[in-house]
Amino acid sequence: MAVATLALLFCAGPAGAHAQSAAPAAPVPAPRPMVPDPTSLPDFHLTWDPDPRASNIPALPYPRLTPGQLISNSNNLDHTATQKCSAANSPLGALRNAVAAADWYCFDSVDSASSTWTPQGMSGSEDAFPAGTVNGRRVLLNSWYGHAPNQSTPTRSRVSFLVPGTPTRYVHVELVQLTPGQTQFRSLPTHAGGIVWHENFLYVADPRRGLLVFDTRNILDLGRTNDPRAPGSRFVLPEVGLWSTGTGGVSPQACNRGNRACYDYVSLDRSASSWQFITGEYCSRRQGGMLVWCDSRLARWRTSDITSRTAGNTIHAQEVFKQPVTNVQGGVSYDDPAAGARRCYYFDSSRGEDNLGWLVTDRPSRQPTYQQGGVGLQDLYVMRSKQQLWTVTEWPGLGKRIIYGVKQPSCP
């Protein structure tokens, strides 16, 4: 979330691992134990609002692809990522030899340098399917928001399907909205701060509106022409509906004030016997140029509710907690097998373009632990097969804008 914060509350989240440097100083402000917040439960409710034009998608004059079909054609994967690029551990890189990354990928030179696209959300095929693969291949998925050069107001959005391998290739798919008439779709402006790819559907956190929903079987191939409705994009994915806050939109300044819930990130806990979605808020406050404590909340939702998608149906969060740290860009929970399968929570807390962030580990009413995170770290995704947490970093620059994973920390 490359957005400057002053005195207001905002919501908008080599060949081996490197050893961490000496123990870093504690985050400022210091983490606090996360605590249940039952009084906030009434604030977290969403209503399903289907797009009435979604039924027209099959009639659009473009080939439709599934994610499996998209990645199976190597000609579609027109970008190359560099695995374990040394630039990430340079003095200006995202890791700086201070983060014990298990693996990482640098975006190509164009995407690393872009001043009009910024990465935010993180998910993958292990969120989507029980086997954890698409056509036998593990896939990482991240979101970006488009904006005017060096500005923060969203004007477009996209996701990238990255397929690890030799080489590692990826492809962008722009998110769009259906429109009446002959134009058929338009760009979709959203911050896309968090994403979940679950079964055939993609859920995108929108701070003001709730969760945007897309059917990934509807990837449209526009061909090689440069379509003015999605400049520079060959593939687009239209929105099919919205889990709506029902408030008509919440301004960033109103977020986390007056009992207004915001949706800055979304993740999926697939470790519980009843899988649950998680949404969370971003909150930052400065006084006298220093970061000070700022409350933000995490909510848990039944997956069966999120996937029901019955027109007009309103669903409610099951639990709400105060998050243990400020500046949360992403959060997720997962059972810690080394701690008796206790449910553990993980949070990425950013500290701007010039500072390493923090990965904070906690469970309710316990003192949080923390370890150094990358510069500009964002949303979180659990790669269950390797017991790793993955994120993406947002700031432009070769080696600064990367996807990386770390070993799942032990639970307090």
Side-chain angles (χ1 to χ4, degrees), residues 399-411:
K400 293 184 69 175
R401 189 170 277 174
I402 70 171
I403 291 175
Y404 77 90
V406 299
K407 180 181 177 182
Q408 181 181 332
S410 298
C411 201

Side-chain angles (χ1 to χ4, degrees), residues 31-82:
R32 302 178 179 181
M34 62 184 298
V35 294
D37 185 17
T39 60
S40 286
L41 272 171
D43 304 340
F44 288 87
H45 52 85
L46 295 167
T47 300
W48 178 241
D49 182 13
D51 190 314
R53 294 177 289 272
S55 60
N56 297 330
I57 293 174
L60 296 177
Y62 311 104
R64 283 195 300 160
L65 302 175
T66 65
Q69 292 168 329
L70 178 71
I71 67 169
S72 293
N73 186 341
S74 59
N75 292 327
N76 296 337
L77 302 172
D78 54 356
H79 294 261
T80 301
T82 304

Side-chain angles (χ1 to χ4, degrees), residues 65-339:
L65 302 175
T66 65
Q69 292 168 329
L70 178 71
I71 67 169
S72 293
N73 186 341
S74 59
N75 292 327
N76 296 337
L77 302 172
D78 54 356
H79 294 261
T80 301
T82 304
Q83 185 176 20
K84 293 188 175 177
C85 50
S86 58
N89 275 310
S90 71
L92 296 178
L95 302 176
R96 301 188 182 182
N97 271 323
V99 179
D103 203 357
W104 65 94
Y105 300 91
C106 285
F107 293 105
D108 68 15
S109 58
V110 172
D111 290 328
S112 291
S114 177
S115 62
T116 58
W117 287 101
T118 299
Q120 295 290 297
M122 195 75 219
S123 187
S125 56
E126 293 199 15
D127 275 352
F129 305 111
T133 60
V134 178
N135 290 1
R137 308 176 76 177
R138 298 198 184 277
V139 179
L140 294 168
L141 184 69
N142 78 280
S143 63
W144 310 65
Y145 78 99
H147 47 85
N150 304 312
Q151 299 297 312
S152 60
T153 301
T155 58
R156 301 168 68 181
S157 54
R158 71 185 185 191
V159 292
S160 301
F161 292 85
L162 183 146
V163 185
T166 307
T168 293
R169 308 292 298 275
Y170 64 98
V171 58
H172 299 310
V173 177
E174 182 154 357
L175 305 179
V176 296
Q177 289 177 312
L178 297 166
T179 61
Q182 295 182 349
T183 57
Q184 299 162 332
F185 65 83
R186 63 189 174 202
S187 60
L188 195 165
T190 182
H191 195 77
I195 58 173
V196 165
W197 178 14
H198 179 57
E199 295 177 341
N200 291 313
F201 289 86
L202 174 67
Y203 301 83
V204 178
D206 184 286
R208 302 184 184 198
R209 294 195 290 152
L211 298 179
L212 316 182
V213 183
F214 306 79
D215 187 335
T216 63
R217 296 167 293 187
N218 290 331
I219 298 171
L220 305 179
D221 184 352
L222 307 184
R224 295 294 183 181
T225 59
N226 192 8
D227 195 303
R229 295 165 298 178
S233 296
R234 175 181 172 183
F235 301 101
V236 301
L237 179 61
E239 182 183 61
V240 297
L242 164 70
W243 277 112
S244 172
T245 59
T247 60
V250 180
S251 70
Q253 290 79 8
C255 217
N256 208 26
R257 291 178 173 179
N259 300 325
R260 293 174 182 253
C262 286
Y263 298 83
D264 290 292
Y265 68 80
V266 59
S267 60
L268 179 65
D269 184 344
R270 291 198 67 155
S271 64
S273 56
S274 176
W275 298 339
Q276 290 186 301
F277 274 66
I278 290 170
T279 63
E281 298 175 318
Y282 174 84
C283 186
S284 183
R285 176 186 290 163
R286 287 183 180 271
Q287 290 181 352
M290 297 291 293
L291 282 169
V292 296
W293 185 257
C294 179
D295 280 331
S296 58
R297 297 168 295 182
L298 172 148
R300 299 185 67 92
W301 307 76
R302 279 194 296 252
T303 298
S304 58
D305 286 345
I306 295 286
T307 59
S308 61
R309 295 186 296 274
T310 300
N313 184 43
T314 296
I315 61 174
H316 301 269
Q318 300 301 296
E319 294 178 285
V320 178
F321 297 90
K322 293 286 183 69
Q323 296 182 141
V325 68
T326 64
N327 293 60
V328 173
Q329 304 280 20
V332 69
S333 68
Y334 199 75
D335 292 353
D336 181 1

